Amino acid sequence: MKVQRQVGVAALACAMVWQLVSGVTVNAAGTKLTLSSQETITSGAIMKNYVWSTTRSNKEVSVNANVIEVDLTNPNVKIDAMAGTNNQFTKNQSVLGMVKDTGAVAGVNGDFYNTQAEGVPEGAQITNGQVMATPAKISGLYSFAITKTNQPIIDIFDFQGTVTAKDGTQFELGGVNKTFYWDDNDVPLIADGLFLYTSAWAMTQRAVDGTHVPTEALIQNDIVKEIQVDTNVKMVAPADGYILRGSGLAREFIVKHLKVGDKVTTKYDMIPHDASKTYDWKNFKMLIGGSTLLVDEAKPSYFTRNINDFNGYSPVSRTAVGYSKDLKKAYIITSDRNGPSAGMTLPELQQFMIDAGVWRGMVLDGGGSTQMVSRPLGDVDPKLVNKTQNGNQRAVANGLGVYSTAPKGELLGLILKGQSLLFVNESSTYQFKAYDDYYNPIAVTGIVPQWSSTMANGSFKDNVYTPTMPGKTQIVAKSGKGSATMDVEVVGRDQITSMAFSSGSFSLTEGGDFKLPITVTTRSGATRELPAASATWELSGVKGTITNGVLHVDSTAGAQTAQVIAHYDGYSTMVTLPVGQEKVWYDLDKFAVMTTGDKYPAEVVSSVNIVPNNGNKNLEIAYDFSKGLGTKAAYARFNNGNGAPIEGAPEFITAKVMGDGSFNWVRAEVIDADGKVNLVSFTESMNWTGWRKVTADVSDLKAPLLVKSIYVANPANGQDERAAKGKINIDDISFIYKGQLPALPKNAIKLTVNKKQATLNSKPMTLEQAPTIVKDNTLVPIRFVTEALGGTVKWDDKERKVTVLRGDKLIDLWIDQADLLVNGGRVTAEVAPAIMNNVTMVPLRLISERLGFKVGWDPQNYGISIE
């Protein structure tokens, strides 16, 4: 965020009482804190992930918040400040980059900084006991520090310093490694100020505000080595020296009182703003600046800065730091504004910090700068924990890092990674991570765990587990005193609540390939895609093959629909797909659309011609991409590039293409109803020769459509892998329109309870078994009813299972079992199907509702009508 330039005070409500209920902190004011997960980062540091809920504008909102809790009494962990790249200012980078650079195990973004300046923090910074920057002369800015005895401090520090020339003349020092800024009265301090810059300032220019030209003096070992008057010196301070930069009155001091070879004495101090405090900053392990105080004695503090300067009353991402009442814990905090996570205002952040245990706390920079990074247990590399406000990891000036200081330990534990939901005969590889006594990662090279499962429903080969029967088990890995377990569910028919095709609605086209994923949900609520190899498949209605879950349609001749049935462990599901209606749009033997050639860039050589082929005419596009730079293309434009109109709202565009094996792309430009030109691909690798039918999806485009062109493209990336010269031929460009499922027969059946006489379309029939009432449910003969209404019935004698197919519905029923399957969804009937006089009887209303029957009931005559 930009540097703050104003002061203001805002009051907040008093502290509130809260209670802990089942891991949820419920505040009397209505806020709720839920600990969703936690994990050890390293010895002495824990990552806690919260969901915090509050009421905003009479609506409940929730925020994802993360807290790194650091045990300040643990000698194996420390907190320190980080800066830019290689611990230098003006080289901003993301928090993840700083954490990796410095070897931290976790970290967040730090102080506010002026995004229009060189990229240095507004406040002070001490890293590993060394001063990196001093406080700004702005009131109300707090800093977080750790003393040599690991005591946390959050307080305001003032800066004072002087530079003394050899002749005894003194000049007030404005600060160390500061960019241009304004004091509380909007006075630019760089105008007449003298500032000191160390090697921590990586840029060769300092405090460039576009107005004040600096005069600078290079000091090494307290001796003036060089003076540059009224110029921007192109140098960085050496490790054993510093640069004094002055403008206005400070320039006059440098010019009149400093001479090359003279000794210079520079002294400065950071003192508590509260004169009753006696901190010694020279013994601080670390310090980082921030802005307003937020929490004091577990109560919301008044704001020590005007929080409107950084959107304090708007819900955005936030970063903060605080500590506990007993001074034993530090809390490093972020909250997110991203997606469903609603961000926090500063008053809300105050309450969250109190709920999370903070006794005293302050704000750090937020908004798009908010980033929290942590190393997952057992991992070597840290990862971004939160979801950033703008979706990117912003380069920031500094950060607060958490470091492990522990020695190398012995193997303590393992962590397993792999599938927790498997299907019978599906082999799955399990991997592991390891950590030591201090919860730091151990290289797994050389560690060979013993693998086993608690149930005898599968076997291991090395770390690959293959289940052979359904059931729940635990995967176990052991090595020395380290071990880990992982719950695994091997899905069988009895564990499934639904198995359904999840491919969406579309029409089939001849020559097309259609992926048919199947999603399985278990009784435990777990969901996963069924591996295609685990299913057995049936296809009817069209000619084709199903390989690895992809349907390739060879022919749709005479078909209106196709039915695909998948079986797994006796559980079945079905999808019925209409065959698309194809309309030829571009057939040169019957009619033509005005077609002209075009190219890009100008160096491309191309031509478009109508040529004969075995008595048929087709369109030829010849191209030479050997010259020119970047992406190259040869076009066949329709109606001079204005586009040819297409009827209706098609789902697909198809064409016959004679490929040249060039690996170039074949695409179409399609103009939608909004006038937008959309690029749709027939192929992005023309790896064939001879004729082939290709298809492109246009179902998402808003109709009516215009086809502007079809073209061959050679994208800039990977041109060395494609042929520069060639030609393709195109014929029978068609559009596929959504097909319709055929209407079911409109037959009508009349039955009477306890009577075998029935009618089908008023024609008398005699049943083998009369409808019967069992436990207030009417059972009817399923074969007669289904076949009379245009369906089919199959019987599996081994499983005592009846399968009913009617239209786009598939039902599986088992005799004497109340559970039945409707298109892969489990349904429980009040009365199970039964066999009476060798006739399968099923509950009428349940079956009729699932198959789309309309059922009427005559209570006086016990009559049933079905249609």
Side-chain angles (χ1 to χ4, degrees), residues 242-564:
Y242 55 89
I243 291 171
L244 291 174
R245 179 216 187 275
S247 298
L249 296 177
R251 172 195 180 279
E252 298 304 313
F253 169 75
I254 294 174
V255 171
K256 292 180 179 180
H257 300 284
L258 300 188
K259 302 291 187 293
V260 173
D262 283 356
K263 183 176 181 180
V264 173
T265 303
T266 300
K267 294 181 179 180
Y268 61 84
D269 202 359
M270 290 186 284
I271 58 175
H273 184 71
D274 184 346
S276 67
K277 306 289 181 62
T278 56
Y279 313 130
D280 181 4
W281 64 270
K282 295 178 182 177
N283 288 317
F284 286 175
K285 292 183 175 180
M286 62 76 55
L287 179 145
I288 195 165
S291 185
T292 181
L293 187 67
L294 291 177
V295 175
D296 190 21
E297 296 185 352
K299 300 176 183 179
S301 166
Y302 70 91
F303 297 126
T304 58
R305 295 291 299 161
N306 181 1
I307 66 172
N308 286 316
D309 287 344
F310 45 99
N311 301 314
Y313 293 105
S314 298
V316 299
S317 295
R318 301 287 180 188
T319 310
V321 64
Y323 59 81
S324 61
K325 182 178 181 180
D326 60 9
L327 308 181
K328 293 181 178 180
K329 293 179 180 177
Y331 303 95
I332 302 171
I333 296 165
T334 62
S335 63
D336 291 352
R337 173 67 183 267
N338 187 298
S341 182
M344 290 184 185
T345 65
L346 279 188
E348 290 171 345
L349 179 61
Q350 288 177 306
Q351 189 57 55
F352 167 76
M353 293 171 73
I354 294 167
D355 291 349
V358 173
W359 174 257
R360 186 172 173 85
M362 61 180 242
V363 72
L364 296 172
D365 198 5
S369 296
T370 291
Q371 301 159 67
M372 178 174 279
V373 169
S374 180
R375 185 186 68 188
L377 183 62
D379 278 8
V380 175
D381 295 323
K383 294 177 174 61
L384 184 69
V385 172
N386 71 312
K387 291 187 177 180
T388 60
Q389 183 165 299
N390 299 319
N392 66 316
Q393 297 183 53
R394 176 183 288 175
V396 294
N398 67 348
L400 197 58
V402 179
Y403 298 82
S404 173
T405 59
K408 185 177 180 180
E410 298 295 324
L411 175 65
L412 176 63
L414 303 176
I415 299 174
L416 293 184
K417 295 176 65 177
Q419 288 281 9
S420 59
L421 192 71
L422 294 177
F423 296 91
V424 175
N425 296 322
E426 177 191 14
S427 295
S428 182
T429 300
Y430 290 85
Q431 298 174 330
F432 66 95
K433 302 179 292 184
Y435 57 91
D436 67 12
D437 305 289
Y438 302 102
Y439 299 94
N440 290 326
I442 294 177
V444 297
T445 305
I447 299 177
V448 182
Q450 295 177 323
W451 296 90
S452 62
S453 60
T454 56
M455 298 291 291
N457 62 341
S459 60
F460 267 101
K461 183 177 181 181
D462 296 324
N463 60 334
V464 178
Y465 179 65
T466 305
T468 55
M469 63 181 68
K472 293 184 178 181
T473 188
Q474 272 194 337
I475 303 298
V476 182
K478 291 184 178 181
S479 178
K481 64 179 182 180
S483 65
T485 62
M486 181 177 178
D487 292 331
V488 173
E489 181 179 8
V490 182
V491 180
R493 183 176 77 197
D494 292 340
Q495 285 81 47
I496 298 174
T497 57
S498 70
M499 186 171 89
F501 285 90
S502 51
S503 50
S505 175
F506 57 88
S507 300
L508 298 179
T509 59
E510 192 170 293
D513 291 313
F514 304 91
K515 188 176 180 181
L516 299 172
I518 298 172
T519 300
V520 172
T521 302
T522 69
R523 293 183 185 273
S524 64
T527 299
R528 223 198 102 195
E529 185 173 315
L530 177 71
S534 296
T536 55
W537 302 82
E538 294 181 39
L539 173 65
S540 61
V542 300
K543 293 182 180 180
T545 55
I546 300 175
T547 306
N548 295 325
V550 176
L551 167 63
H552 177 76
V553 180
D554 294 320
S555 173
T556 60
Q560 286 184 279
T561 62
Q563 288 181 323
V564 180

Side-chain angles (χ1 to χ4, degrees), residues 27 134 151 373 445 516 759 802:
N27 187 283
T134 55
Q151 178 180 330
V373 169
T445 305
L516 299 172
T759 63
V802 178

